[in-house]
Amino acid sequence: MTTLEYRHLLVARDGDTVRITMNRPERRNALSGEHLAELLVAFRAAGETGATGIVLGAGGPVFSAGHDFADVSARDLLGVRELLTLCTELMSTIESVPQVVIARVQGLATAAGCQLVASCDLAVAAESANFALPGGKGGWFCHTPAVPVARAVGRKRLMELALTGDPIDARIAEQWGLINRAVPDAELDTAVDELLARATRGSRASKALGKRTLYAQLDRPEADAYTIALEVMAGAAQLPGAREGMAAFLEKRPPVWRD
């Protein structure tokens, strides 16, 4: 395992997995501009490696309390816009890196912290975890955090989260589709690694192209989605991973992934 140094993060390469751990527990892993910038650098760096998976976790009792109000309140309009643009760029990067990204959630994931969870490809949470878009009962509505949450849970459930501001527990988050699994706290790491192992098997190149295409066609009209998926899938049939997968099936042998 190799480790890189950050002020607000712990980033380590463990075999085929890069583990990015938010490490600002004294501030409940609140997302200041500096913290967001480090996350962006870490995800971009991980995306350029040969790793197959990225785990986003957090130290301390809270996954993330969302934007750091001490930072936000000190900014003028242009400064807050820059902060939210940085946050949006991070969320887009999480979706665009070729690796499978899985959120490992303990404690509370609120506002932009909930946005982080929704932006990851997969998410596993401890049963003690809670999720919220609290702006609905405060003074600053969760406009940008609601974007990926809406695409995970649907309109009516988003409205309940955003308008009431009330938290939901991990079991409800699982039922609503915000996370993939809610597991006993003691089983969190095992469940994260098990799901990541299943999600990263196969051809790396094929998986990266598949992830990119899934995000490209989501939320588009069905005809447009088929147009995108058809052309990508046709071209992907000629890639080494696809050719090897088909050959292995036809020859009744285990595949050998070289990409």
Side-chain angles (χ1 to χ4, degrees), residues 76-259:
D76 60 10
L77 172 61
L78 292 179
V80 175
R81 185 178 291 144
E82 289 175 355
L83 180 70
L84 295 178
T85 299
L86 173 61
C87 185
T88 301
E89 189 174 3
L90 169 63
M91 304 302 165
S92 298
T93 298
I94 290 172
E95 292 185 355
S96 67
V97 293
Q99 291 84 2
V100 175
V101 181
I102 184 167
R104 175 200 179 277
V105 188
Q106 88 298 340
L108 179 66
T110 185
C114 190
Q115 182 183 7
L116 270 176
V117 176
S119 297
C120 291
D121 305 320
L122 303 168
V124 177
E127 288 179 332
S128 62
N130 286 276
F131 304 84
L133 297 179
K137 58 182 179 182
W140 195 30
F141 201 81
C142 291
H143 299 278
T144 52
V147 173
V149 174
R151 285 151 176 77
V153 305
R155 181 175 298 185
K156 295 299 186 186
R157 288 164 174 169
L158 168 73
M159 288 298 184
E160 182 174 343
L161 280 167
L163 295 176
T164 69
D166 293 334
I168 59 172
D169 63 32
R171 287 298 177 190
I172 294 178
E174 180 183 25
Q175 294 170 14
W176 286 12
L178 182 60
I179 63 173
N180 298 86
R181 304 279 189 280
V183 300
D185 290 29
E187 299 175 14
L188 179 57
D189 288 324
T190 299
V192 167
D193 290 345
E194 185 273 336
L195 180 56
L196 186 62
R198 291 192 293 112
T200 54
R201 60 194 171 194
S203 164
R204 298 185 187 192
S206 174
K207 189 85 67 177
L209 180 60
K211 173 179 167 176
R212 185 165 67 246
T213 306
L214 287 174
Y215 281 118
Q217 60 93 0
L218 281 173
D219 302 312
R220 291 176 180 264
E222 186 175 35
D224 291 349
Y226 269 122
T227 297
I228 293 170
L230 186 153
E231 288 303 321
V232 174
M233 194 164 185
Q238 308 307 310
L239 294 174
R243 307 299 291 182
E244 169 61 13
M246 288 184 276
F249 176 82
L250 294 171
E251 296 166 13
K252 296 180 172 55
R253 61 172 175 79
V256 178
W257 306 115
R258 303 187 185 281
D259 59 355

Side-chain angles (χ1 to χ4, degrees), residues 59-80:
V62 174
F63 179 79
S64 176
H67 287 296
D68 188 333
F69 281 4
D71 186 356
V72 176
S73 64
R75 295 171 180 258
D76 60 10
L77 172 61
L78 292 179
V80 175

